[in-house]
Amino acid sequence: VKRALKRVNKAPVEVSEAQVVQRVVERASAWEQQVEEMLRLSSEAMAGDVSCKIDYLAKAEQFVEDAKTLGPLSNLKSRIMLEKKIERAYVVKSRISGWDNENGKGNTENIKVIAAMVREVHRIGLYFFQVSRLMKVHAAAEEWMERATIVNRNRSSLSEVEQLIKFGE
């Protein structure tokens, strides 16, 4: 569309619709830049403060709705990619909710399952509020495993082992 628009603008004849198309192309470009910025901020939120106050999944959904107003350019590759990310995020969100419900009943998930969910959240790149608890539990489990490995390799006092076991429960 951009290339065709450049050719129209260079033509010796003025096409009135070219201005309308130019505005739509500019809006689509601005939308894509905003999506890229939102995804960058979402990734930074997951890498840094795990108690982020912004639900980037909700923001992504709003961006998809906004893209529908772009008329013929509403089927941007970025919109389709964002819809796929949203779909994957809801799958993980459902898994996290199921994990949270089971965890509350005394069942605990294997650290590998939790780590897999964390990796998937990072691959998707959309922070949502349930991610915070998942990341905190994952960090605590990783820390516990490191300490348990150290205790296992070294001679440790009985009180250190008891403290580690109590923390793990």
Side-chain angles (χ1 to χ4, degrees):
V1 174
K2 286 181 183 179
R3 279 185 276 159
L5 193 57
K6 283 181 184 179
R7 278 190 243 133
V8 167
N9 287 335
K10 290 179 183 177
V13 179
E14 187 175 313
V15 180
S16 60
E17 289 80 9
Q19 292 176 353
V20 174
V21 172
Q22 179 66 39
R23 283 195 298 270
V24 172
V25 167
E26 288 170 359
R27 283 181 45 219
S29 294
W31 180 88
E32 284 185 321
Q33 289 173 349
Q34 290 172 338
V35 167
E36 287 175 15
E37 177 68 6
M38 183 268 303
L39 290 173
R40 184 187 65 75
L41 292 172
S42 179
S43 292
E44 286 178 7
M46 286 191 291
D49 181 16
V50 292
S51 59
C52 180
K53 303 286 187 243
I54 299 171
D55 185 350
Y56 286 98
L57 177 56
K59 279 186 166 275
E61 290 174 314
Q62 185 57 54
F63 274 114
V64 168
E65 288 302 311
D66 293 347
K68 292 176 183 175
T69 66
L70 296 174
L73 295 181
S74 65
N75 283 327
L76 296 165
K77 287 181 185 177
S78 300
R79 191 198 95 203
I80 294 165
M81 175 268 309
L82 198 55
E83 286 175 333
K84 288 179 181 177
K85 282 182 176 284
I86 291 168
E87 187 178 310
R88 288 174 45 211
Y90 271 105
V91 169
V92 174
K93 189 174 184 178
S94 174
R95 286 180 59 205
I96 292 171
S97 295
W99 162 76
D100 238 357
N101 291 338
E102 290 298 312
N103 199 27
K105 295 176 185 171
N107 298 333
T108 56
E109 286 288 337
N110 182 319
I111 185 64
K112 290 180 181 180
V113 173
I114 295 170
M117 284 191 283
V118 168
R119 280 191 306 275
E120 183 63 15
V121 165
H122 281 290
R123 266 194 299 276
I124 295 167
L126 288 175
Y127 177 92
F128 45 94
F129 296 129
Q130 290 83 348
V131 170
S132 176
R133 176 155 158 60
L134 178 71
M135 302 277 261
K136 286 177 184 176
V137 168
H138 181 254
E142 289 287 324
E143 180 184 334
W144 185 89
M145 286 178 59
E146 285 177 25
R147 290 175 55 204
T149 301
I150 291 168
V151 166
N152 192 30
R153 288 185 187 156
N154 300 325
R155 291 184 180 174
S156 301
S157 69
L158 182 58
S159 64
E160 288 178 76
V161 175
E162 287 174 344
Q163 182 182 12
L164 187 61
I165 291 170
K166 203 175 281 187
F167 181 75
E169 292 175 342

